[in-house]
C-alpha cells in the first residue's frame, strides 16, 4: 500500500490542536509531521479547515447479535458507527442470545460478527450469579473486561447480581486485572418508588423519572465503592445519570481508588423538563434527569470526575417503544445514537467552551483506555492504527432518519439542528464512510492487542 498523507489545519494530536500532516503507512500512522514535510511519494489528501480527530471508540454498545438481530446487529450497528466517526465498538454481553457469560457464547458472537463489520469491535463478558468459574476463562479468551447489573436488566437471559454473587465473582475479576463495568442502580429504591406510584399516569415522563430516583444510583455507587475498597478490582460506573454521586466518586479517586466513570450524550443533552409526556423514545435507565443535574454532569466532566462519554447505543424494534400506547412503564428503555453522538456532544460542548481536544479525550482516548486498546486506538500518534475522522466543526445539519443507519431509525434527536458534520471516517487507513456513502467491503475485525 502506498504511503498516504492526510493534511488538515486542525489536527487533534496528544500535544494539541495544530496544522499537521498524518503519514499513514498501510494500516498504521507512521508519523505526524508539519504540512510542509510530506514526502514526495505520498498520496496527499488535504482536508483544509476540516478537523482531523482520532476516530471515536465506543465502549458501551448493545449490538444484540446473535439472537436479537431484529433489534440491531453487527452490520447495521457498524454502519451507524462508521457514519458517526467511530471505528471501534465494545459490545455489551446482554440482549444478545446467548448472553456473553461463557467462552462458548463468546465464540458464537465471533461467528455472528464474521464478515459483517464496517469497524473494529471487541466484547465485554458478563458477570452473573452462576458464572464465577467462567470469569478467568473469558479473560483468557479475549474479553476486554466485565459487566454486571445490580438491578433487573429488562431481559431474562442475563441475571442481576446481589452481594453474595459479587463476593463469589470479585476475587476472579480482580485476578484478571480487567475492569468491572457496573449498572449502578439498586432495586430497593426503585421498587419502593414504583410502589408509591401505584395508580400514577405512566404516559407522563415525571412518573417514570420518579420511579428511578437518584437514591437508587447513589446507594448502588456507595455499595460498589465499598466492595472496590475490599477487593481491589477496577471499578467502572456506566452511564452515570445523577450528579449527586460526583462528590463521593471524586473522593474515591483522590484516595487513589481504581474507579472510572462514564456518562452518555443523552444525559448531557436532554432534560426532564422538556421531555413530552408519551415521548417513550426518550426512555432509558437510569433516566434523563433535570436541567440543573445535567449542568452538574458537565461540571463533572470539567473537573475530570467523569472520564468518558459513550453512547449506550441500545435500539429495539419500534413496537417495543410503545409509541402508540405511550407507556413509560412498558416501553423498552434504550437510546441509539452511534451515528450522531459526535455532533450531539459537539453542539453541547462547544457552547460551554470545551474544545475538540476534550471531545477526543472523552470519546476516543479514555474509552480506548477502559477497553485496554489504548496502545493502538484513541490517538493520532506514531504507531497507532490510522483510525481517523474528518469533522467539520462549523457545519450544521438537521437530524433525519436517513442519517441514522441503525436498524430502526427511532431517535429522540430526529428533527434537531446540530453543529458539526462527520465528513469521512478511516479505519486503519481505509475510508469506511465518505459523505453518506460506505465505500469498500466490511473490513472491520475483532480487536486483539
Ligand atoms: Zn447499556
Amino acid at each position: 500500500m502506498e504511503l498516504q498523507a492526510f493534511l488538515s489545519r486542525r489536527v487533534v494530536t496528544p500535544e494539541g490542536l495544530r496544522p499537521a500532516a498524518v503519514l499513514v503507512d498501510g494500516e498504521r500512522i507512521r508519523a505526524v509531521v508539519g504540512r510542509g514535510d510530506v514526502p514526495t511519494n505520498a498520496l496527499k489528501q488535504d482536508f483544509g479547515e476540516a478537523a482531523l480527530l482520532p476516530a471515536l471508540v465506543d465502549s458501551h454498545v448493545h449490538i444484540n447479535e446473535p439472537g436479537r438481530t431484529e433489534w440491531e446487529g453487527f452490520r447495521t450497528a457498524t454502519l451507524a458507527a462508521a457514519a458517526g466517526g467511530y471505528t471501534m465498538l465494545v459490545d455489551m454481553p446482554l440482549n444478545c442470545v446467548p448472553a456473553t457469560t461463557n467462552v462458548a457464547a463468546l465464540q458464537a458472537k465471533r461467528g455472528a460478527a464474521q464478515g459483517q463489520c464496517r469497524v473494529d469491535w471487541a466484547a465485554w463478558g458478563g458477570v452473573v450469579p452462576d458464572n464465577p468459574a467462567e470469569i478467568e476463562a473469558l479473560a483468557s479468551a479475549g474479553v476486554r473486561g466485565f459487566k454486571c447489573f445490580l438491578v433487573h436488566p429488562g431481559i431474562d437471559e442475563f441475571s442481576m447480581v446481589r452481594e453474595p454473587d459479587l463476593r463469589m465473582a470479585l476475587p476472579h475479576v480482580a485476578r484478571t486485572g480487567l475492569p468491572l463495568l457496573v449498572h449502578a442502580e439498586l432495586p430497593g429504591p426503585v421498587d419502593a418508588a414504583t410502589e408509591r406510584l401505584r395508580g400514577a399516569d405512566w404516559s407522563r415522563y415525571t412518573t417514570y423519572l420518579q420511579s428511578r430516583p437518584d437514591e437508587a444510583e447513589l446507594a448502588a455507587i456507595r455499595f460498589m465503592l465499598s466492595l472496590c475498597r475490599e477487593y481491589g478490582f477496577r471499578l467502572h460506573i456506566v452511564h452515570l445519570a445523577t450528579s449527586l454521586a460526583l462528590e463521593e466518586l471524586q473522593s474515591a479517586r483522590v484516595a487513589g481508588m481504581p474507579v472510572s466513570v462514564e456518562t452518555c450524550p443523552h444525559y448531557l443533552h436532554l432534560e426532564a423538563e422538556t421531555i413530552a409526556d408519551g415521548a417513550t423514545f426518550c426512555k432509558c435507565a437510569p433516566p434523563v434527569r433535570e436541567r440543573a443535574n445535567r449542568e452538574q454532569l458537565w461540571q463533572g466532566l470539567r473537573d475530570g470526575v467523569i472520564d468518558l462519554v459513550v453512547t449506550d447505543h441500545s435500539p429495539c424494534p419500534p413496537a417495543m417503544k410503545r409509541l402508540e400506547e405511550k407507556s413509560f412503564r412498558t416501553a423498552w428503555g434504550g437510546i441509539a445514537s452511534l451515528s450522531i453522538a459526535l455532533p450531539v456532544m459537539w453542539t453541547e460542548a462547544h457552547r460551554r467552551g470545551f474544545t475538540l481536544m476534550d471531545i477526543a479525550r472523552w470519546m476516543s482516548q479514555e474509552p480506548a483506555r477502559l477497553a485496554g486498546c489504548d496502545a493502538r486506538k484513541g490517538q493520532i500518534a506514531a504507531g497507532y492504527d490510522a483510525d481517523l475522522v474528518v469533522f467539520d466543526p462549523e457545519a450544521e445539519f438537521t437530524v433525519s432518519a436517513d442519517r441514522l443507519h441503525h436498524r430502526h431509525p427511532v431517535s429522540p434527536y430526529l428533527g434537531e439542528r446540530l453543529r458539526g458534520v462527520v465528513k469521512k471516517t478511516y479505519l486503519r487507513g481505509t475510508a469506511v464512510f465518505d459523505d453518506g456513502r460506505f465505500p469498500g467491503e466490511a473490513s472491520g475485525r475483532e480487536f486483539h492487542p
Side-chain angles (χ1 to χ4, degrees):
M1 208 179 188
E2 247 172 317
L3 184 67
Q4 302 184 83
F6 299 103
L7 289 79
S8 156
R9 300 203 168 276
R10 292 186 281 187
V11 181
V12 176
T13 72
E15 297 80 36
L17 188 73
R18 59 186 171 100
V22 181
L23 303 183
V24 174
D25 193 357
E27 298 195 333
R28 302 278 181 108
I29 297 170
R30 180 196 284 184
V32 182
V33 300
R35 288 173 56 91
D37 302 325
V38 176
T40 48
N41 64 334
L43 186 68
K44 265 194 192 182
Q45 285 200 73
D46 193 340
F47 300 113
E49 292 298 325
L52 201 55
L53 279 77
L56 307 184
V57 174
D58 196 340
S59 55
H60 193 152
V61 181
H62 297 267
I63 295 176
N64 302 342
E65 187 171 5
R68 282 205 177 84
T69 312
E70 71 277 17
W71 291 20
E72 183 63 312
F74 280 100
R75 192 183 66 81
T76 43
T78 59
L79 283 171
Y86 288 90
T87 53
M88 171 82 195
L89 306 180
V90 194
D91 185 34
M92 282 295 169
L94 71 161
N95 302 355
C96 50
V97 186
T100 320
T101 52
N102 57 50
V103 174
L106 176 63
Q107 300 299 9
K109 183 170 290 291
R110 286 171 171 157
Q114 205 65 42
Q116 295 210 71
C117 297
R118 293 280 163 169
V119 302
D120 289 348
W121 71 282
W124 298 115
V127 164
V128 290
D130 63 357
N131 85 332
E134 310 287 344
I135 289 171
E136 289 173 63
L138 275 165
S140 305
V143 299
R144 313 311 303 154
F146 299 91
K147 166 84 179 283
C148 71
F149 271 73
L150 302 183
V151 69
H152 189 274
I155 40 99
D156 293 327
E157 305 83 11
F158 194 92
S159 304
M160 56 178 274
V161 286
R162 296 182 173 83
E163 183 170 352
D165 308 315
L166 282 165
R167 290 191 179 279
M168 295 286 285
L170 289 175
H172 298 285
V173 172
R175 265 200 292 279
T176 67
L178 298 175
L180 177 64
L181 285 61
V182 181
H183 180 120
E185 283 182 296
L186 284 187
V190 174
D191 293 345
T194 306
E195 181 60 30
R196 284 195 295 276
L197 290 164
R198 206 201 287 255
D201 179 357
W202 282 86
S203 72
R204 302 195 56 195
Y205 185 71
T206 49
T207 304
Y208 178 62
L209 179 57
Q210 286 165 17
S211 76
R212 300 191 89 110
D214 296 87
E215 296 79 61
E217 283 189 76
L218 202 50
I221 289 168
R222 283 184 187 143
F223 169 57
M224 289 312 303
L225 286 174
S226 73
L227 289 173
C228 180
R229 264 179 225 107
E230 192 174 336
Y231 291 93
F233 63 97
R234 285 171 63 195
L235 170 63
H236 179 75
I237 304 297
V238 296
H239 49 50
L240 181 75
T242 178
S243 63
L244 299 183
L246 288 169
E247 205 175 308
E248 283 171 62
L249 288 164
Q250 172 76 312
S251 307
R253 296 168 69 113
V254 169
M257 288 173 64
V259 180
S260 53
V261 182
E262 72 182 38
T263 191
C264 308
H266 37 277
Y267 300 120
L268 296 164
H269 178 71
L270 303 174
E271 52 190 24
E273 289 91 334
T274 55
I275 295 179
D277 293 342
T280 51
F281 45 81
C282 293
K283 179 178 175 180
C284 57
V288 170
R289 304 189 186 282
E290 290 87 353
R291 187 177 303 136
N293 177 81
R294 179 189 67 193
E295 294 313 308
Q296 288 304 310
L297 291 178
W298 278 104
Q299 188 60 41
L301 279 165
R302 199 180 294 276
D303 295 341
V305 189
I306 300 173
D307 304 89
L308 51 120
V309 179
V310 291
T311 64
D312 192 7
H313 182 86
S314 186
C316 67
M320 289 183 66
K321 277 294 186 187
R322 306 282 190 259
L323 297 170
E324 272 135 51
E325 187 187 319
K326 300 187 186 305
S327 171
F328 280 101
R329 197 211 308 258
T330 52
W332 173 257
I335 290 175
S337 65
L338 270 172
S339 36
I340 47 166
L342 175 53
V344 169
M345 279 300 295
W346 179 236
T347 300
E348 295 289 350
H350 178 262
R351 71 165 64 118
R352 290 174 177 81
F354 292 102
T355 68
L356 291 173
M357 295 292 293
D358 297 310
I359 293 282
R361 191 175 69 254
W362 301 328
M363 301 181 80
S364 185
Q365 188 181 343
E366 289 298 328
R369 190 200 308 274
L370 177 71
C373 55
D374 51 321
R376 289 240 313 277
K377 306 282 190 190
Q379 287 190 43
I380 297 182
Y384 278 73
D385 283 357
D387 289 359
L388 306 164
V389 52
V390 181
F391 183 65
D392 182 341
E394 280 83 34
E396 293 190 355
F397 72 103
T398 301
V399 181
S400 51
D402 62 319
R403 284 179 175 266
L404 298 179
H405 304 290
H406 56 269
R407 189 175 301 281
H408 305 287
V410 175
S411 164
Y413 304 109
L414 284 171
E416 282 207 42
R417 190 91 188 143
L418 296 177
R419 183 185 180 96
V421 171
V422 174
K423 307 291 289 180
K424 279 183 177 229
T425 307
Y426 290 88
L427 171 68
R428 290 182 269 102
T430 303
V432 290
F433 176 76
D434 185 354
D435 264 324
R437 295 177 310 107
F438 298 92
E441 304 295 310
S443 57
R445 59 188 184 223
E446 187 180 1
F447 177 85
H448 295 288

